[in-house]
Amino acid sequence: MTEYDASPPETPARRFTVAADGTIHGDDGADGRLAASLRYACRVAGQLEFLTGAGDLEWVSTVSTTAVTARVGWSDAREVTLSAEVETGEARAPKEFTVVGGADVHAALGHCMQRVRQMLGTHWSAVITGDKRVVAAAVPQSGGAVLDAMAALPEVGVRALAVLGALEEPYRETCVLLDYTHGTMLVAAVGDHALYAFADKLDPRVVAEIVDEVRAVLAPGDVARADTIASGETRVEPLGADPAAASAPVPAPASTGVPVQQAGMRFRASQPREPRTSRWGRRGG
């Protein structure tokens, strides 16, 4: 008797590229919408180099049932190029946490910032509300890096919200990871709000666990009523609102062009990372 494998067939990865002029090649599985929104998200995320000194955005990946991994390049004119892969895997059940009631939202926010730092080894982290108010932050404890971080956190947060807004929820169920030359930034939705943090390197499995914990502890309605510690005034043009603005180059220092390269986790692992420098309390080496 012949035995048959009753398990569903593995869905092959979809691959696509986006050239500097926005031309899309390949299949993103969404008639080009994912490619366009990912390009926009990378343009916004690329601006963080000027706020944090993190260097060029090099990779974007999402932790989600339908996960996206993209190698990011920059042309001489500072236009984004992408080589991306979309893979559909098994749905991940969020880890369950027992949350003790009674703590006010500020205590809950403080607890989450402490846990993010402990679990992920972040240099800084923050929570920003959907109306662009930073309501929690953990920054370097001393030196000029404290002032640098507090001054930039609102503007970084506004862009974190824009990245989440650009990508549809099925592609970023747990979080978005932005890999720069000098470290990695985590962006995760908490209702209409965002948790964002920066570290030398992040393990997606640990990130998923801490994001689950933060979401279990923080009630979005309570976060919306939390006191403001800083606010962002920058308006990031929404995707599709102004095609001319969306295609305009992001101002940046002159840079050598980076060609479109192969994407996917197997290629990502082989990419060298430059030594990380110190800013906002980052460790050197």
Side-chain angles (χ1 to χ4, degrees), residues 52-55 115-126 138 140 153 156 176-187 196-204 206-207 210 268 273-277 279-285:
T52 67
R115 290 290 291 156
V116 168
R117 174 176 286 177
Q118 289 174 342
M119 293 288 290
L120 303 180
T122 54
H123 298 296
W124 54 262
S125 58
L153 276 179
V156 174
V176 180
L177 296 176
L178 305 169
D179 279 357
Y180 295 87
T181 305
H182 303 305
T184 301
M185 181 169 159
L186 156 69
V187 182
Y196 57 110
F198 190 90
D200 285 341
K201 187 176 181 181
L202 293 171
D203 182 335
V206 181
V207 166
I210 195 65
R268 177 179 180 179
R273 297 289 292 272
E274 293 183 9
R276 295 176 175 87
T277 56
R279 171 123 183 223
W280 285 27
R282 297 188 199 120
R283 294 180 291 273

Side-chain angles (χ1 to χ4, degrees), residues 59-63 68-70 175-179 265 268:
W59 289 91
V60 174
S61 58
T62 68
V63 180
V68 181
T69 305
C175 67
V176 180
L177 296 176
L178 305 169
D179 279 357
M265 295 304 292
R268 177 179 180 179

